[in-house]
Structure formats: structure tokens, C-alpha cells
Amino acid sequence: MRFETRAIHDGQPPDPVTGAVMTPVYQTSTFQQDGIGRPRAFEYSRSGNPTRAALEAALASLESGRHGLAFASGVAATTAVLNLLGPGDHVVAGEDLYGGTYRLLEKYFGRWGVKTTYANAADPAQVAAAFTERTRLLWLETPTNPLLRLADLQALAEIARARKAWVAVDNTFASPYFQRPLELGADIVVHSTTKYLGGHSDVIGGAVIVSDDALHQDLKTYQNATGAVPGPWDCWLVLRGLKTLALRMRAHEQNALRLARFLQGHPAVERVYYPGLPAHPQHELAKQQMSGFGGMISLDLKGGFPAVEKFTAGLQLFILAESLGGVESLVCYPPKMTHSSIPPAERRRRGIGDGLVRLSVGLEHADDLEADLRQALGTGSF
Ligand SMILES: *Cc1c(COP(=O)(O)O)cnc(C)c1O
């Protein structure tokens, strides 16, 4: 069955007891057992809960994986994957990555002896050169946050496979509607379901999707042992979001494309980062490995931070806030918000300049969004 159909039905049949069409919120911590040593399908909601099971099955289906695991947040999902490693293990990570992932690698896993080398994942040769004898994991985002660079997943998966390392892809920006890393050779997909999958800025959640049974067993044991699981209400919210994911992603993309074109021609804008623009250096790769370009745009404003301050203060519709992927348009300043945990010198080295602004293009009418950008850019002394 096709994506739209699976998003609505997979893992979510009508409730077997009542026939409820929408998966019920099983707000219970524990489940009756038929006798000692004779539990039914569920025992205790940290280990498993029917609402969570529905979400996990749906997520696995949408990512073309065999197993899904839901977590309390995206960083909890990331932590679960990083805990597959042990002291002495080495990670190669794309250098343009979510600030919270960088913080986990540097501040927490580093002190347990897991070392990370960062490479520009847009350049497979650089990634290959970063591998050592001890490399067990290649961690990628594509498109990246916030520079919207792409990593060639097929090429990089081959490099990692030859060196017996897992490839994990944080697929939060593209969503499975536009990109399915497991189909391109990745072993592990991670999501912040807080973003497009939930889609309505009303829940924090995360997920890991894999196909390998042993990997799934390890991660599931970790999920139960450490307990960073989402409650049934949160699972239900993400499940409801999934049902309209295809529709929303198409609309996010349509609006983003329109705004990217508008910004590209604006005199106050130094540069626009959007994989859907032919001017994007990896536009061809985007067309190959993604079925759409998503709803995230970054731009460099002429005039650095003072211009950014005027621009963000002038916006009426775009809300200044962290996060992305909701129905409402957001604007964020990565250097001081999402990426503030990366030291300034390191940030600039990675290409995140002082004039960089990130837009999460929502589902408002494109005319209104463009008018808002136009008036806010007009307020600057560019
Ligand atoms: C938000 C985000 C995360 C972290 O997810 P939380 O749900 O906030 O814990 C990880 N990766 C990317 C790309 C994100 O945007």
C-alpha cells in the first residue's frame, strides 16, 4: 500500500474490544495477568503500551523498517542509539548537526570514552578519511540543520558498510514522506517526532526505526531498562499527526519553494539555503534521494546580527521560537538559539555566520507569508 494509506491504517486497526476507529489512549501503568507467569500482550507501560505499540508500528511502516521504538524526546532516541557504543568506540558525525546531538556526543558520551570526529558529510571522501579502526557508527543528518546541506546516503552507507560501522540518519528534517534512509542503505533512522511527524507543536517525542532484529532487541532492552518512554497521550498525538503527514509535507514544501524563490531575489538577502532551488549546490542529489525538498529554509542576511534583530522584530506572522515542523511558521536564529551549545569559533568554522536565520515554513497561505517577509525585510537599513 502507498504511504498515505499506511500513515492512516498501519498499526492502527479499529480497537479490537470496542471497535473505536481511532486508537484509544490506554492511560494505564499496568495490565492484569491471567496467572503467575501468564501475562497478556502487555505487562507494564514502561515495557510496552498499546497506544505506543500502534505508534511504533506506524512509524516502522512509514520508514520502510521492520521495527519502531518510541521515546520521550528526540534526544532520548539519540541517546538510545549512542548507547549501542562503549568505551573506546569511535563515531564519525556530519559536522553540521543538531546542537543537542553535538552536546550529547561532546559533553556526555565523550566522558565515557566514546570519541567523535566531525566531517563535512557533503564530501564522502572527507567522511571516509575520518574513519578509524574503532569507528562503529556514522551519524548523519540530511538535509542538515541549519545549513540544509545534503549527504549522499547511498555512497556513505557503502563506505560505512565496508568498515563494518552502522549508519544512523536523523531524518527529522525530511520526514519519511520525502526521504527513507533505510531504503538507501542506512541501518538506523532517528526522529524528533516533536517536529513534522507530530506536526502541531503540541508534543515532545522521539523515535528510532531499524530493520535488523538484533539491533531492535538491543534498543528495545535499552528503552525498557532506562525508561525514557513517551506516555500514551503523547503517542496518541503523534499518531494523529502521522495521518496527515503526506498532506502537510506537500503543503510545507509548496510554501517553502515559493518563499525560497522570493528570498533568493531580495536585495537584503545574501544567500538562501534550500535544496529545492537549482542554485543549491546539491540540488541534483536532492532530486535523486528525496521525493521533495521539505519546508525548512535558511538564509544569510546582509548586515549580520543587527539586520537579524531588525528582521525578526519586524515579522508579524513568523513566530520567533525554537523548533520546526508545525503548522505555524517559525523563525529562529541558530547562533543564539538551537546552536548556542556549539562554541562561536567552531560554529563559524562550520559555516554558521552571524547573519544566519532559519525559517520553518508553516501552512498559512503563501501570500500572507511572503507579505510578512517582504515587510520585515523592508524595515531594515540594508
Ligand atoms: C529537535 C531535533 C532533535 C531533538 O529532538 P527533541 O524532540 O527536541 O528532543 C534532534 N534532531 C533534530 C534534527 C531536531 O530538529
Side-chain angles (χ1 to χ4, degrees), residues 47-322:
S47 317
N49 171 285
T51 315
R52 194 173 97 211
L55 172 62
E56 291 178 334
L59 288 168
S61 168
L62 296 184
E63 280 290 0
S64 301
R66 285 163 44 81
H67 309 285
L69 291 166
F71 288 88
S73 66
V75 295
T78 301
T79 304
V81 173
L82 296 178
N83 265 296
L84 293 166
L85 308 176
D89 286 344
H90 179 248
V91 180
V92 175
E95 68 180 0
D96 185 21
L97 87 172
Y98 180 67
T101 304
Y102 177 80
R103 181 171 53 198
L104 280 174
L105 288 167
E106 289 304 301
K107 195 165 176 196
Y108 297 100
F109 284 87
R111 73 183 182 201
W112 294 109
V114 175
K115 287 215 162 52
T116 305
T117 303
Y118 302 89
N120 180 357
D123 177 3
Q126 233 193 80
V127 173
F131 273 73
T132 74
E133 294 282 284
R134 308 298 306 261
T135 306
R136 288 192 62 208
L137 177 68
L138 172 60
W139 184 277
L140 298 168
E141 286 180 28
T142 179
T144 62
N145 178 24
L147 295 176
L148 298 155
R149 288 189 189 139
L150 267 63
D152 184 334
L153 290 179
Q154 261 172 327
L156 294 174
E158 247 169 67
I159 289 170
R161 198 177 309 121
R163 292 160 179 80
K164 300 200 168 22
W166 290 306
V167 180
V169 179
D170 181 339
N171 202 30
T172 300
F173 266 40
S175 92
Y177 182 64
F178 284 139
Q179 172 175 276
R180 287 175 298 280
L182 297 179
E183 292 177 7
L184 298 167
D187 303 287
I188 301 167
V189 168
V190 172
H191 275 285
S192 168
T193 58
T194 311
K195 315 295 169 53
Y196 287 111
L197 300 188
H200 296 75
S201 306
D202 52 12
V203 64
I204 298 284
V208 178
I209 298 102
V210 298
S211 279
D212 184 81
D213 294 337
L215 206 47
H216 169 244
Q217 213 34 257
D218 276 3
L219 289 161
K220 191 173 166 53
T221 302
Y222 177 87
Q223 179 198 43
N224 181 48
T226 57
V229 292
W233 256 112
D234 288 356
C235 292
W236 187 89
L237 283 167
V238 177
L239 205 48
R240 184 165 74 163
L242 288 186
K243 291 174 191 280
T244 55
L245 180 64
L247 277 173
R248 287 186 289 105
M249 291 314 295
R250 287 198 285 265
H252 280 296
E253 182 192 35
Q254 212 172 15
N255 278 356
L257 200 53
R258 159 112 177 247
L259 297 187
R261 287 183 183 134
F262 163 74
L263 289 165
Q264 195 180 29
H266 198 284
V269 176
E270 182 81 49
R271 186 166 165 195
V272 179
Y273 306 82
Y274 184 65
L277 292 176
H280 188 286
Q282 295 164 297
H283 181 58
E284 288 308 313
L285 175 61
K287 285 199 290 190
Q288 266 171 42
Q289 79 178 9
M290 306 173 75
S291 57
F293 309 110
M296 299 300 297
I297 302 174
S298 289
L299 56 139
D300 279 323
L301 282 179
K302 291 178 185 164
F305 183 57
V308 171
E309 266 191 312
K310 279 189 191 136
F311 172 65
T312 52
L315 286 166
Q316 311 265 306
L317 259 179
F318 281 83
I319 300 165
L320 180 68
E322 305 216 4

